[in-house]
């Protein structure tokens, strides 16, 4: 059984409801500015401010020096009509751009998921809430390390700028791709909302996160002020408002805060769990009254980073596996419906669950080799279960799973179990008290809940309690692009969270060791 899903129709309805209530992160005003004369000798900015005050209802209007020099040239064109792009800042309006004519139909924002492994973006039409393009790209920081701990070490050696530029270059590639797909000029993007884990947030800002490796695991900043895109090096409108989701701890970042916003965790009376298992294992437990969270670097076991035949969730990766309990033969589905080249995270969890349910795997994750099947093979001196044979004619590799692959996944599973157990014990709750489980991240979208429950990766609960947010980072970011009031809610979530440092919890390793079984 697969996860319930907050589909695009539901999301669109939420977006349209939001658009009726609050201004977006940036707003546009089409103005007809009075022509100057001997009877009206106010300065250009003064005349614009008078019109802008009437349109916005705000009297305090801030102009950056960089825009002042272009005003006369804009106003002295044949028409005195201009469009002001601005951002609401309490009782003040911050001017971001001035364009001749009516450009209100070109109003775009960018939602960004600053993923450790993959960076994803959505180009949003702020007028309608429509997603115009949704490209993704492998994080350029991969060349410096697959996992966070490796990159933290690299940053600690004085190489923060290399990591920052790798990430900024990846984001700029996504901007160019998205704008190419939608056929728009990047300079028309006036708002950005980004979410990432605490390390990615620091590196996006060019801050050294390496101190988070050591006790007391303190980040430089949790609540980032709104910045401009030019300060960060993003190749869009230079004064575009850039909001970055706050973090709540060294390994609990804005990506999970964004997911909590999308899950409406502050609206629930019932106990809910937000779960994001990927390069990091992160979770938030609670309801509208309290939130308890824990996280840790789990390694990229479920994002194509550990298994010998692992692939990211891309065309050619096996995403779903079934093993016939009578014949012990596998069947599978492949992303893109092409020949397989490996296993993505959801396929990896599926095949482990299926091996166990078919009696080919014991509770410790070891193969039961006295089971008679021709799928047992020897590769490089090790026994493997073969899913797909190599095809030398098509230059396609074999796809199989090893006991080492299984042990890596069980370690990730054990870390998740230990974290959840500690959170539940801290508030005197049992697993059965959890009424809703929201899963976030690209891994959670594709995962079969039955398989995750079978190996203990997900808590043993009725499958109808599981709801997929899809990419929670992008959903939360999209909400703030379209409703600036949601910034306050994101801050409330971050401030309400009690964050437990599981790395130093006295019971973590004991629970972890006992949970490394199916």
């Amino acid at each position: 059984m697969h996860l319930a899903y907050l589909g695009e129709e539901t999301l669109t309805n939420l977006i349209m409801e939001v658009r009726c209530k609050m201004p977006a992160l940036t707003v546009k005003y089409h103005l007809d500015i009075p022509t100057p004369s001997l009877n009206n000798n106010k300065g250009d900015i003064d005349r614009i401010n008078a019109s802008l005050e009437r349109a916005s209802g705000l009297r305090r209007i801030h102009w950056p020096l960089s825009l002042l020099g272009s005003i006369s040239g804009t106003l002295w064109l044949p028409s005195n009509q201009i469009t002001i792009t601005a951002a609401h800042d309490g009782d003040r309006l911050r001017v971001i751009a001035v364009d001749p004519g009516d450009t209100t139909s070109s109003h775009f924002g960018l939602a960004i998921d600053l993923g450790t492994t993959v960076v994803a973006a959505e180009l949003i039409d702020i007028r309608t809430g429509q997603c115009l393009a949704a490209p993704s790209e492998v994080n350029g920081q991969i060349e410096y390390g697959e996992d966070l701990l490796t990159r933290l070490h690299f940053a600690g050696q004085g190489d923060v700028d290399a990591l920052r530029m790798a990430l900024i270059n990846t984001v700029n590639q996504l901007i160019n791709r998205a704008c190419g797909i939608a056929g728009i000029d990047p300079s028309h993007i006036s708002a950005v909302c980004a979410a990432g884990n605490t390390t990615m947030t620091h590196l996006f800002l060019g801050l050294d996160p390496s101190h988070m490796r050591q006790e007391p695991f303190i980040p430089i900043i949790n609540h980032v002020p709104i910045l401009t895109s030019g300060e960060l090096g993003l190749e869009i409108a230079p004064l575009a408002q850039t909001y970055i989701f706050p973090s709540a701890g060294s390994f609990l970042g804005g990506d999970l805060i964004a997911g909590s916003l999308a899950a409406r965790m502050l609206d629930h009376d019932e106990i809910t769990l937000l779960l994001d298992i990927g390069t990091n294992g992160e979770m938030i437990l609670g309801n509208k009254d309290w939130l308890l969270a824990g996280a840790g670097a789990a390694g990229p076991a479920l994002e194509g980073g550990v298994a010998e035949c692992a692939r990211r969730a891309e065309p050619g990766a096996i995403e779903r596996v079934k093993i016939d309990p009578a014949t012990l033969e596998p069947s599978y589905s492949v992303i893109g419906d092409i020949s397989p080249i490996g296993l993505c995270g959801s396929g990896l969890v599926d095949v482990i669950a299926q091996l166990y349910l078919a009696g080919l795997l014991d509770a410790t994750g070891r193969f039961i080799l006295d089971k008679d099947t021709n799928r047992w093979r020897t590769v490089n001196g090790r026994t493997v279960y073969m899913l797909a044979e190599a095809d030398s004619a098509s230059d396609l590799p074999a796809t199989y799973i090893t006991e080492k692959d299984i042990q890596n996944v069980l370690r990730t599973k054990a870390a998740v179990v230990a974290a959840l157990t500690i959170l539940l014990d801290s508030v005197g709750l049992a697993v059965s008290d959890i009424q809703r489980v929201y899963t976030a991240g690209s891994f959670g979208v594709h995962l079969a809940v039955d398989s995750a429950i079978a190996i203990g990766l997900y808590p043993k609960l009725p499958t109808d309690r599981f709801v997929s947010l899809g990419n929670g980072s992008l959903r939360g970011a999209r909400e703030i692009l379209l409703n600036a009031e949601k910034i306050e809610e994101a801050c409330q979530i971050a401030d309400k969270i009690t964050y437990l440092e599981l790395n130093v919890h006295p019971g973590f390793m004991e629970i972890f060791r006992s949970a490394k079984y199916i």
Side-chain angles (χ1 to χ4, degrees):
M1 180 175 291
H2 303 291
L3 294 171
Y5 189 76
L6 294 179
E8 286 301 314
E9 182 178 352
T10 301
L11 184 60
T12 300
N13 290 338
L14 290 172
I15 286 168
M16 295 312 296
E17 180 183 346
V18 161
R19 296 294 296 122
C20 294
K21 293 180 178 178
M22 280 299 299
L25 193 57
T26 59
V27 292
K28 285 203 169 195
Y29 298 100
H30 176 221
L31 306 175
D32 192 348
I33 308 302
T35 304
S37 66
L38 292 176
N39 295 322
N40 183 3
N41 60 0
K42 290 182 178 180
D44 292 337
I45 296 295
D46 300 312
R47 299 197 319 280
I48 292 173
N49 281 351
S51 296
L52 192 52
E53 181 183 332
R54 287 192 296 270
S56 67
L58 297 175
R59 298 190 63 183
R60 298 180 61 198
I61 299 171
H62 171 77
W63 287 82
L65 180 61
S66 59
L67 287 181
L68 297 182
S70 64
I71 294 301
S72 293
T74 302
L75 282 183
W76 286 97
L77 293 171
S79 169
N80 282 342
Q81 294 189 6
I82 62 171
T83 299
I84 297 286
T85 306
H88 287 258
D89 181 9
D91 63 350
R92 180 168 57 175
L93 200 65
R94 290 184 175 274
V95 179
I96 293 171
V98 182
D99 298 299
D102 183 358
T103 65
T104 53
S105 62
S106 296
H107 191 191
F108 306 105
L110 190 74
I112 308 173
D113 171 20
L114 300 170
T116 305
T117 305
V118 175
V119 181
E122 288 184 348
L123 179 62
I124 305 298
D125 186 330
I126 292 179
R127 298 170 307 147
T128 65
Q130 181 184 2
C131 178
L132 305 177
S136 60
E137 191 77 47
V138 173
N139 190 328
Q141 295 176 345
I142 287 288
E143 67 173 293
Y144 303 109
E146 288 270 358
D147 60 79
L148 279 184
L149 294 181
T150 303
R151 292 183 213 174
L152 286 168
H153 176 74
F154 189 78
Q157 295 178 321
D159 295 305
V160 172
D161 195 56
L163 290 165
R164 183 187 75 85
M165 286 309 302
L167 181 56
I168 294 297
N169 288 340
T170 302
V171 172
N172 283 330
Q173 290 172 24
L174 291 175
I175 290 169
N176 291 331
R177 283 178 55 194
C179 290
I181 293 168
I184 72 162
D185 190 317
S187 66
H188 291 159
I189 299 175
S190 63
V192 175
C193 187
N197 62 52
T198 311
T199 297
M200 287 298 104
T201 295
H202 277 57
L203 295 175
F204 192 53
L205 298 170
L207 302 176
D208 183 359
S210 60
H211 294 292
M212 294 190 297
R213 293 177 300 166
Q214 302 167 334
E215 195 173 340
F217 313 107
I218 302 300
I220 292 175
I221 190 168
N222 280 329
H223 290 267
V224 181
I226 293 180
L227 304 171
T228 64
S229 58
E231 293 176 282
L232 294 167
L234 303 182
E235 296 171 354
I236 55 177
L239 295 175
Q241 296 289 280
T242 303
Y243 176 76
I244 301 170
F245 272 90
S247 302
S250 57
F251 286 102
L252 195 135
D255 48 355
L256 214 62
I257 304 299
S260 301
L261 183 70
R264 304 284 193 272
M265 289 194 75
L266 292 186
D267 294 343
H268 293 301
D269 290 311
E270 62 188 11
I271 301 300
T272 61
L273 174 68
L274 175 63
L275 194 57
D276 189 336
I277 306 169
T279 309
N280 296 316
E282 306 167 333
M283 62 187 69
I284 298 178
L285 176 74
N287 59 16
K288 67 180 184 180
D289 298 319
W290 58 272
L291 295 172
L292 187 64
L302 302 177
E303 291 194 347
V306 170
E308 195 164 309
C309 293
R311 293 291 185 273
R312 296 185 179 92
E314 58 192 10
I318 294 175
E319 62 175 345
R320 197 75 67 234
V321 178
K322 289 288 184 184
I323 295 177
D324 188 302
T327 66
L328 305 182
E329 285 294 297
S331 59
Y332 48 78
S333 60
V334 181
I335 297 175
D337 292 324
I338 59 178
S339 297
I341 59 172
L343 281 163
C344 68
S346 59
L348 190 59
V349 171
D350 259 12
V351 70
I352 294 171
Q354 289 293 304
L355 285 168
Y356 180 70
L357 294 173
L360 296 170
L361 194 68
D362 67 20
T364 69
R366 303 296 178 186
F367 292 136
I368 301 176
L369 296 178
D370 57 3
K371 283 282 189 174
D372 186 19
T373 172
N374 63 5
R375 290 290 165 172
W376 299 132
R377 305 294 171 82
T378 301
V379 176
N380 297 326
R382 297 158 306 157
T383 300
V384 306
Y385 181 85
M386 183 67 64
L387 285 162
E389 304 281 359
D391 186 344
S392 56
S394 301
D395 197 28
L396 293 174
T399 298
Y400 52 84
I401 188 168
T402 70
E403 287 186 343
K404 183 179 179 181
D405 299 336
I406 296 166
Q407 294 304 314
N408 285 333
V409 172
L410 291 183
R411 277 192 288 272
T412 296
K413 170 257 182 182
V416 172
V417 170
L420 181 57
T421 300
I422 289 170
L423 294 189
L424 289 168
D425 288 349
S426 297
V427 288
L429 295 176
V431 168
S432 59
D433 293 317
I434 301 171
Q435 300 303 308
R436 184 72 61 195
V437 180
Y438 292 98
T439 61
S442 57
F443 172 70
V445 173
H446 301 288
L447 181 64
V449 176
D450 288 347
S451 293
I453 291 175
I455 70 168
L457 184 64
Y458 280 0
K460 191 173 183 180
L461 291 167
T463 55
D464 61 3
R465 295 191 189 181
F466 290 81
V467 179
S468 172
L469 292 177
N471 188 316
S473 295
L474 289 179
R475 290 212 167 190
R478 192 193 300 194
E479 287 199 21
I480 281 182
L481 283 177
L482 299 171
N483 181 359
E485 192 178 53
K486 291 288 183 177
I487 291 176
E488 179 60 29
E489 186 175 339
C491 290
Q492 289 175 6
I493 291 171
D495 290 340
K496 189 180 285 285
I497 287 173
T498 299
Y499 175 63
L500 299 184
E501 281 290 358
L502 301 178
N503 296 326
V504 295
H505 192 282
F508 183 85
M509 287 308 300
E510 182 179 351
I511 301 170
F512 174 83
R513 284 190 292 268
S514 65
K516 288 194 296 182
Y517 304 95
I518 298 175

